[in-house]
Amino acid sequence: MNKNKRVGIIGAGHVGSTVAFILATQGICQEIIIKDLNLDTARGIALDMGHAASATKTHTIVRVANEPSDLRGCDVVVFCAGSPRQPGMSRDDLLLANAKVIRTVLSEVKPYIQESVLVMVSNPLDAMVYTAIKESGLSPLQVLGMAGILDSARMASFIFEKLGYGSDQIVASVMGGHGDDMVPLPRYSNVAGVPITELLEPQEIEEIIHRTRNAGAEIVGYLKKGSAYFAPAKSTAIMVEAILKNSHQVFPCSVLLQGEYGYSDVVGGVPVKLGSRGVCEIIELELLHEERERFDQSIQSVKSLIDALYHHAFFVSSRP
Ligand code: NAD
């Protein structure tokens, strides 16, 4: 256990409660504080999760945030509040509704989380990271979005489906925004160092790219109500662990680009070295012409969502 480490979870729905379950049963923090609009839901989940921690002998304490100030002193705050998409919706359809949830919640809790790293999960992810940076008053280095670990895990599972071997040796790479035009990168995806371009036919790789981009929608289509949460929660827990342990591991995360990859004032998924203060370093990869075109297209999509927030006068200030 990381003694004295506290994790706050805002939004105890499918993703938030599963993140709490994973962290509590891993025992990687001393305390988890759950905040939800529905206080009784949060109470029930906190009690249940505390019992799960006890069953696994981690003794992580799980409790409810009765007041915004109960989030004071959290090393990491995970933000999963807001609506998930339903069948037929894109993540972008959630833009204004979830931006308002972020504003409402952060206006209450921001005095108490100024020293925390904020991990955003709510969709549309990259625009929500941007909103959180604006609304929280935190340094952009303290605010990261979870999507790249999930998208890469999905891509790796589809690579394994095609290959039929090497599941624990597959590294997949996905960059750009967490939208329909995310950028799976076959050249940076490999099995024990062997690029998948050496192992699979171009048609098979195209199928993997297509399936990776549509994996979220495929799951929503089956579930009929709500969206994926097991893999999103596990991916979030991986980020939280890296931050709590100051691991300096590199993961694809959504962060504010401030000159990196030639962009400013926009959020995108790129490789990030994670530490206890959040972003330690953004790593710039060399992209080939076609990869660069796909990345640019994906970042433009994120930019248009951020533009839409300014267009709706969501932010008081004009665009920098
Ligand atoms: P859910 O509906 O199960 O849970 C949402 C929770 O947020 C509910 O418990 C609700 O009460 C709470 N909430 C709503 N408004 C609130 C407020 N003002 N204050 C506190 N709590 C509030 O949804 P879910 O499946 O857990 O998904 C949560 C979010 O995560 C969605 O926006 C979804 O699209 C997103 N998501 C992102 C990824 C990713 O890769 N980044 C993956 C999966 C889901």
Side-chain angles (χ1 to χ4, degrees):
M1 175 181 315
N2 283 316
K3 284 239 162 62
N4 305 322
K5 296 290 181 191
R6 304 179 89 202
V7 177
I9 296 180
I10 299 176
H14 287 89
V15 179
S17 61
T18 313
V19 174
F21 178 72
I22 295 166
L23 296 179
T25 52
Q26 274 186 326
I28 63 164
C29 55
Q30 187 163 7
E31 203 172 15
I32 296 172
I33 298 113
I34 294 178
K35 176 173 169 56
D36 197 278
L37 194 57
N38 186 330
L39 196 54
D40 273 346
T41 301
R43 284 188 180 121
I45 283 168
L47 202 55
D48 195 10
M49 230 50 84
H51 300 163
S54 176
T56 45
K57 309 285 182 228
T58 68
H59 300 300
T60 296
I61 294 162
V62 188
R63 60 185 187 86
V64 163
N66 289 300
E67 303 294 335
S69 59
D70 289 338
L71 288 171
R72 193 195 306 269
C74 284
D75 298 277
V76 183
V77 173
V78 179
F79 197 108
C80 313
S83 304
R85 60 179 163 159
Q86 306 298 336
M89 285 174 88
S90 84
R91 296 177 181 94
D92 301 353
D93 294 329
L94 304 166
L95 181 70
L96 270 175
N98 282 352
K100 284 179 189 158
V101 171
I102 290 171
R103 166 168 293 165
T104 306
V105 178
L106 288 183
S107 68
E108 289 175 7
V109 304
K110 76 177 185 185
Y112 312 106
I113 64 164
Q114 289 300 307
E115 298 303 317
S116 312
V117 175
L118 182 58
V119 175
M120 297 300 296
V121 181
S122 309
N123 275 319
L125 195 262
D126 307 276
M128 297 303 100
V129 171
Y130 187 91
T131 304
I133 291 168
K134 290 271 174 200
E135 299 292 320
S136 66
L138 296 178
S139 148
L141 299 180
Q142 286 171 268
V143 185
L144 305 102
M146 186 294 296
I149 299 178
L150 171 66
D151 297 328
S152 305
R154 286 173 170 166
M155 184 176 179
S157 83
F158 298 137
I159 293 170
F160 175 59
E161 251 182 53
K162 289 272 183 222
L163 283 176
Y165 60 83
S167 65
D168 61 340
Q169 296 181 303
I170 297 172
V171 176
S173 176
V174 180
M175 285 175 57
H178 181 55
D180 296 341
D181 48 13
M182 65 180 75
V183 190
L185 289 170
R187 208 167 53 89
Y188 283 108
S189 302
N190 65 75
V191 184
V194 183
I196 61 163
T197 45
E198 304 287 321
L199 301 170
L200 292 164
E201 296 299 325
Q203 176 59 30
E204 292 177 303
I205 292 175
E206 271 315 307
E207 285 166 20
I208 289 167
I209 290 174
H210 178 77
R211 193 118 187 255
T212 302
R213 287 179 164 161
N214 290 289
E218 190 178 345
I219 293 167
V220 170
Y222 286 125
L223 294 179
K224 308 281 189 300
K225 203 164 170 275
S227 58
Y229 54 98
F230 289 114
K234 181 64 193 173
S235 305
T236 306
I238 288 170
M239 272 178 81
V240 171
E241 185 173 2
I243 295 163
L244 290 180
K245 291 185 173 168
N246 194 25
S247 74
H248 288 195
Q249 286 170 300
V250 176
F251 292 110
C253 304
S254 294
V255 292
L256 187 74
L257 299 176
Q258 301 182 90
E260 296 86 1
Y261 291 89
Y263 285 101
S264 289
D265 201 47
V266 68
V267 170
V270 292
V272 172
K273 194 201 285 178
L274 285 182
S276 58
R277 302 290 301 151
V279 178
C280 296
E281 188 184 341
I282 294 174
I283 293 161
E284 291 195 63
L285 292 181
E286 287 293 329
L287 296 177
L288 298 178
H289 180 68
E290 197 197 330
E291 295 165 343
R292 180 76 213 191
E293 275 187 348
R294 288 185 176 192
F295 181 75
D296 287 345
Q297 190 185 337
S298 184
I299 296 298
Q300 284 308 325
S301 298
V302 176
K303 207 171 158 296
S304 64
L305 289 180
I306 294 170
D307 287 345
L309 288 171
Y310 280 102
H311 180 74
H312 284 92
F314 183 81
F315 300 119
V316 189
S317 60
S318 56
R319 189 150 196 168

